[in-house]
Amino acid sequence: MKAIINGTFLIGENEVKNAALLFDSKILGLVPTDKIPDGCEVIDAQGLLVSPGLIDLHIHGYLGEDASDGNEEGIRIIAKGLLKNGVTSFLPTTMTVSWQEIEAAFDNIRKLKAESAHADFDGAQILGAHAEGPFVNPRRKGAQAESAILPPDADKMLKHKDIIRILTMAPEMPGALEAIRKITEESDIVVSIGHTDATFEQANEGIKAGASYVTHLFNAMSPLNHRNPGVVGAALQAPVTTELIADTFHVHPGLFSFLRDIKKEKLVLITDCTRAGGLGDGEYTLGGQPIFVKGIECRLSNGTIAGSVLKLNQAVFNLRENANLSNAQAVYHATHNSALAIGALNEKGTLEEGKDADIVLFDQDMQAHKVFIKGTLKYTRGE
């Protein structure tokens, strides 16, 4: 058994001091410091924030690797690299590439998912896959490859229902509503509305059919207009989880507070990070297409925005600073809400007793100093 002391514990949206967090592979509870059991290994947090591990539900790549490559070593590199950012679990996210490549990526993620659940895995745990496409609208494809877009087909996805946790698709495409109904009735896959030119009415039809999530709000979708509210309008008024890329580029930071106030526990921070994440400016690829990175911007050659180089801990920092939130309130959107969105809240997302001991010690700049996954120390800053 271990005990963390001298920290500020992020418990739900509250902050608790003068306590000790007990854990082994699971969280055992928060107790007064004079109630630490004899023989416990004591870890001094030295005033740092003691947070649940961050969960990234939408990340394509990192450190030169991409989930769509179908490369086992590539996923390992991503998983290990994410530890530095305080990410303890994630969904490797595929692009609209050929169906053969997508299936190969699913097979690869499936194999690594099982391996990542073991204590000796050197990286963040893989909770499944997020399939961004291939059932998207060419008019809002963004950086998705138009040649690889397919008509909605529930059976293609149900074949991989053991590994897919989120599927992004356009509800207005022919056959999409039927596919949404079948997928949500026959699996636990969360269907997300994204890369879509749907009207407000079509988006709500998708939600009525079973979609419960919206991919990177405002981006690659019909915008909010007072006479045609579009997908953005539907996302804001319906009880659906919405992703936010809080890099201050994809969405203006002036909206962060508004989005948090209106969506509450239905707002999830994600990165949409590409293989360029963690590297410098330059030319990379995304879904087989060249992308160009300059600062926080990733674009195709025609100027289209193409993913990000955002780190999830930076997203938490940006939300905190621009929405005037406490550390606990900001972290909530990358922990509790993320786990809730994919039905993993019984195991992940908070420091409640009985959950996996996924714990991160952050400083006030949201830089990770120590990362534990299921109670095992996976990362120490500077080592």
Side-chain angles (χ1 to χ4, degrees):
M1 185 187 299
K2 303 181 182 73
I4 298 176
I5 62 169
N6 293 335
T8 298
F9 300 91
L10 308 187
I11 307 298
E13 292 189 279
N14 300 308
E15 300 185 5
V16 177
K17 296 184 178 181
N18 302 316
L21 183 69
L22 305 181
F23 67 100
D24 47 30
S25 64
K26 300 285 186 180
I27 301 292
L28 301 176
L30 198 66
V31 301
T33 52
D34 61 358
K35 299 295 184 183
I36 298 173
D38 292 339
C40 210
E41 177 188 341
V42 176
I43 300 161
D44 188 347
Q46 299 181 329
L48 295 172
L49 306 172
V50 184
S51 169
L54 306 186
I55 305 168
D56 198 342
L57 300 182
H58 186 158
I59 173 170
H60 296 283
Y62 196 58
L63 297 177
E65 306 296 333
D66 191 301
S68 292
D69 293 343
N71 180 350
E72 183 177 321
E73 184 58 26
I75 297 292
R76 294 182 195 278
I77 290 170
I78 295 169
K80 183 175 182 178
L82 291 179
L83 295 175
K84 185 178 180 180
N85 306 332
V87 174
T88 55
S89 53
F90 70 113
L91 299 183
T93 304
T94 57
M95 289 282 291
T96 297
V97 291
S98 74
W99 182 244
Q100 291 76 17
E101 289 174 293
I102 293 173
E103 285 200 300
F106 289 161
D107 290 342
N108 188 46
I109 295 167
R110 181 181 288 110
K111 177 182 178 182
L112 272 296
K113 176 178 180 287
E115 185 178 318
S116 73
H118 298 151
D120 60 354
F121 183 75
D122 190 12
Q125 184 180 355
I126 297 163
L127 300 181
H130 179 160
E132 190 180 18
F135 311 144
V136 298
N137 190 324
R139 293 188 62 184
R140 297 283 183 177
K141 66 182 185 299
Q144 308 280 341
E146 185 168 352
S147 61
I149 294 174
L150 297 176
D153 184 338
D155 291 336
K156 282 184 180 293
M157 293 301 167
L158 289 171
K159 178 182 175 183
H160 298 283
K161 66 182 181 181
D162 64 313
I163 194 65
I164 301 171
R165 299 297 289 267
I166 300 175
L167 165 64
T168 293
M169 59 183 290
E172 73 278 14
M173 301 304 287
L177 294 180
E178 293 80 0
I180 293 171
R181 290 189 193 97
K182 185 171 183 179
I183 290 167
T184 54
E185 288 172 0
E186 298 183 15
S187 75
D188 294 326
I189 295 171
V190 173
V191 173
S192 181
I193 295 174
H195 288 278
T196 170
D197 201 39
T199 63
F200 176 81
E201 292 76 15
Q202 288 171 325
N204 278 309
E205 282 297 311
I207 293 166
K208 184 178 179 182
S212 59
Y213 192 98
V214 174
T215 297
H216 43 52
L217 185 66
F218 292 108
N219 292 276
M221 63 182 59
S222 48
L224 178 66
N225 179 279
H226 62 295
R227 291 194 180 92
N228 180 11
V231 173
V232 173
L236 292 176
Q237 60 83 39
V240 293
T241 300
T242 55
E243 293 181 347
L244 173 63
I245 307 174
D247 59 359
T248 72
F249 168 58
H250 279 79
V251 178
H252 192 284
L255 289 174
F256 289 2
S257 182
F258 163 75
L259 292 174
R260 192 209 180 241
D261 289 346
I262 198 168
K263 295 306 298 183
K264 299 180 173 64
E265 69 176 13
K266 297 292 187 181
L267 182 67
V268 168
L269 294 177
I270 55 96
T271 63
D272 195 18
C273 189
T274 68
R275 70 169 81 244
L279 305 176
D281 292 354
E283 181 177 346
Y284 302 90
T285 61
L286 178 65
Q289 302 180 83
I291 61 171
F292 301 87
V293 177
K294 184 176 181 180
I296 63 172
E297 299 183 16
C298 299
R299 297 180 184 270
L300 300 179
S301 58
N302 64 5
T304 300
I305 296 173
S308 85
V309 289
L310 180 64
K311 299 171 183 176
L312 196 53
N313 55 331
Q314 184 65 47
V316 172
F317 179 90
N318 291 343
L319 181 68
R320 185 191 75 192
E321 295 298 293
N322 289 284
N324 193 29
L325 302 180
S326 68
N327 290 303
Q329 289 171 326
V331 162
Y332 204 68
H333 294 277
T335 54
H336 172 278
N337 294 359
S338 309
L340 178 65
I342 60 169
L345 195 56
N346 286 337
E347 299 83 33
K348 306 285 185 183
T350 71
L351 297 180
E352 294 175 278
E353 183 178 348
K355 295 191 178 182
D356 291 343
D358 296 351
I359 305 165
V360 182
L361 305 189
F362 286 114
D363 61 27
Q364 288 293 330
D365 292 327
M366 295 309 300
Q367 298 301 305
H369 287 244
K370 286 187 181 296
V371 177
F372 298 85
I373 298 179
K374 296 183 180 180
T376 299
L377 181 62
K378 299 282 188 174
Y379 170 81
T380 300
R381 190 177 188 185
E383 292 184 3

